[in-house]
Amino acid sequence: MASYTYAYRGGLLENRHRVFIAIVEPQGRLLAHSGPPGWVAPLRSTAKPFQALALYLSGAVGRFGLTPAEVALSCASHDGTPAHIALAAQYLEKIGLGPEHLACGAHLPLDPEARQALHRSGEAASPLHNNCSGKHAGMLAAALALNASPHGYEKPEHPVQQLILQTLRELSGQPQIPQAVDGCSVPTFALPLASTARMFALLAHPGAAPRQYREGLKGVFAAMQQHPEWVAGPRSMDTVLMRRVPGLVAKRGADGYYGMALQNSRWGPIGIALKVESGSNEAREPMVVRLLEELGVLSPEEELPWRRPALKNVRGLEVGHLEAHLELRWTDRAA
């Protein structure tokens, strides 16, 4: 049982990307999978909603009066539009720090229009343009709320990172979590797909989580649902899907990872984790759309650019397309 996204050049099959999927209930029971549900891979930015729980556990939300929009930005892989940059700068100012305190580094905006505008301005990208600047602002806020130094907050031994690691251990049910360094220099965590899906199921149904995490899970879910524009951007799949599917939180991660918390499925609240084995983000997106159609929460008639995205050459000519082929193995629990 395997799912694949196929890349066609004209009518010729050029690439095949295997996709692993796990769908889990809040109690941790597996509903369905494609490929091994125990497949282990780093979550990358898909972990951000759970890293943002440090804002609640540390008391930073109350201490700094953080708004739902700022919480949503803490969960974001944002596109670096002027609005994102302004909110990130405001967030840092609120906690009494500045862009120079961000350890994420700088890169050009992910949004094409914002990238072109920055180029025309002649200005260099700053850490505020980094898609992870909101997450880093949140970690700085949590450090201050813990009365810990904001310096070195990105290091695994820092109290903020230790708090995040303990959070992931308890929500995933995995006592040992391998770590590495993410693209933005903070720790990233490797979990079995089913364990990641379990965390997203708890995000959809906080009442099933340990008591100390319920307020944060509820707050993060509400912030992302109310402000999907801060989580990615107006042309990005996360934002568009959260606007169109009631009760959905969606979070992309680098190298083909994706997580979703869905409150209103036919099985009740569920969590979903998806990983493209090759690491292709292009191959991930049509599979996410196909999966939501299979779950009955997205209409096949709805116009979305990711259902069968075109492949274009450097002249802009359409030379092929991507196509998702989904095969799920349902458990007895799902019957």
Side-chain angles (χ1 to χ4, degrees), residues 26 50 53 57 162-177 191 195 198-199 202 208-213 217:
F50 309 102
L53 295 179
L57 297 167
Q162 287 296 304
L163 177 60
I164 291 169
L165 177 60
Q166 184 60 27
T167 298
L168 265 69
R169 283 173 175 158
E170 295 196 25
L171 295 182
S172 70
Q174 294 292 322
Q176 300 297 324
I177 301 179
L191 287 172
S195 297
R198 179 189 182 188
M199 294 198 302
L202 294 175
R211 187 171 301 276
Q212 67 268 32
Y213 299 110
L217 288 164

Side-chain angles (χ1 to χ4, degrees), residues 98-156:
E100 69 275 10
H101 292 91
L102 297 174
C104 53
H107 64 65
L108 293 171
L110 301 181
D111 181 79
E113 290 185 8
R115 188 165 58 247
Q116 291 167 11
L118 185 65
H119 178 72
R120 288 193 301 269
S121 75
E123 296 179 10
S126 80
L128 293 172
H129 293 92
N130 190 304
N131 75 93
C132 298
S133 60
K135 175 179 75 174
H136 282 248
M139 290 177 175
L140 285 165
L144 295 174
L146 290 170
N147 295 317
S149 171
H151 300 291
Y153 71 89
E154 76 279 11
K155 303 294 185 183

Side-chain angles (χ1 to χ4, degrees), residues 285-295 298 324-326:
E285 296 181 339
M287 187 61 73
V288 170
V289 171
R290 178 69 189 87
L291 178 58
L292 290 174
E293 291 173 351
E294 179 70 16
L295 296 177
L298 191 64
H325 291 253
L326 174 68

Side-chain angles (χ1 to χ4, degrees), residues 48-49 51-52 55 66 69-76 91 134-138:
K48 286 177 179 176
Q51 291 167 307
L55 294 171
L66 298 181
E70 288 159 347
V71 172
L73 193 73
S74 301
C75 304
Y91 194 161
K135 175 179 75 174
H136 282 248

Side-chain angles (χ1 to χ4, degrees), residues 5-291:
T5 297
Y6 296 103
Y8 292 95
R9 184 168 294 271
L12 304 174
L13 177 63
E14 185 167 35
N15 295 305
R16 184 177 74 167
H17 304 271
R18 184 163 58 162
V19 185
F20 302 133
I21 301 166
I23 304 174
V24 172
E25 293 180 307
Q27 295 76 20
R29 291 187 290 263
L30 184 69
L31 279 174
H33 64 97
S34 185
W39 183 268
V40 176
L43 275 66
R44 308 296 298 276
S45 285
T46 303
K48 286 177 179 176
F50 309 102
Q51 291 167 307
L53 295 179
L55 294 171
Y56 295 86
L57 297 167
S58 68
V61 170
R63 174 171 171 176
F64 297 109
L66 298 181
T67 64
E70 288 159 347
V71 172
L73 193 73
S74 301
C75 304
S77 297
H78 68 71
D79 284 347
T81 68
H84 290 118
I85 305 314
L87 183 60
Q90 171 190 305
Y91 194 161
L92 288 168
E93 184 178 0
K94 177 180 281 192
I95 65 174
L97 299 176
E100 69 275 10
H101 292 91
L102 297 174
C104 53
H107 64 65
L108 293 171
L110 301 181
D111 181 79
E113 290 185 8
R115 188 165 58 247
Q116 291 167 11
L118 185 65
H119 178 72
R120 288 193 301 269
S121 75
E123 296 179 10
S126 80
L128 293 172
H129 293 92
N130 190 304
N131 75 93
C132 298
S133 60
K135 175 179 75 174
H136 282 248
M139 290 177 175
L140 285 165
L144 295 174
L146 290 170
N147 295 317
S149 171
H151 300 291
Y153 71 89
E154 76 279 11
K155 303 294 185 183
E157 64 273 13
H158 191 279
V160 167
Q161 302 304 334
Q162 287 296 304
L163 177 60
I164 291 169
L165 177 60
Q166 184 60 27
T167 298
L168 265 69
R169 283 173 175 158
E170 295 196 25
L171 295 182
S172 70
Q174 294 292 322
Q176 300 297 324
I177 301 179
Q179 297 182 69
V181 180
D182 211 335
C184 64
S185 297
V186 300
T188 186
F189 313 95
L191 287 172
L193 272 182
S195 297
T196 303
R198 179 189 182 188
M199 294 198 302
F200 276 92
L202 294 175
L203 187 59
H205 184 55
R211 187 171 301 276
Q212 67 268 32
Y213 299 110
R214 293 176 188 174
E215 178 191 5
L217 288 164
K218 183 178 179 180
V220 164
F221 188 96
M224 295 177 73
Q225 263 275 293
Q226 292 167 14
H227 296 286
E229 68 277 10
W230 299 121
V231 178
R235 287 174 285 275
S236 289
M237 188 169 72
D238 295 15
T239 295
V240 173
L241 290 179
M242 285 190 281
R243 283 176 169 164
R244 296 200 186 185
V245 180
L248 175 72
V249 155
K251 185 69 202 72
R252 61 187 175 186
D255 289 281
Y257 215 107
Y258 211 77
M260 290 182 280
L262 182 61
Q263 287 184 329
N264 307 313
S265 81
R266 69 187 70 160
W267 307 274
I270 58 173
I272 302 161
L274 179 153
K275 167 66 176 171
V276 180
E277 185 182 23
S278 68
S280 169
N281 293 331
E282 285 185 329
R284 171 189 64 197
E285 296 181 339
M287 187 61 73
V288 170
V289 171
R290 178 69 189 87
L291 178 58

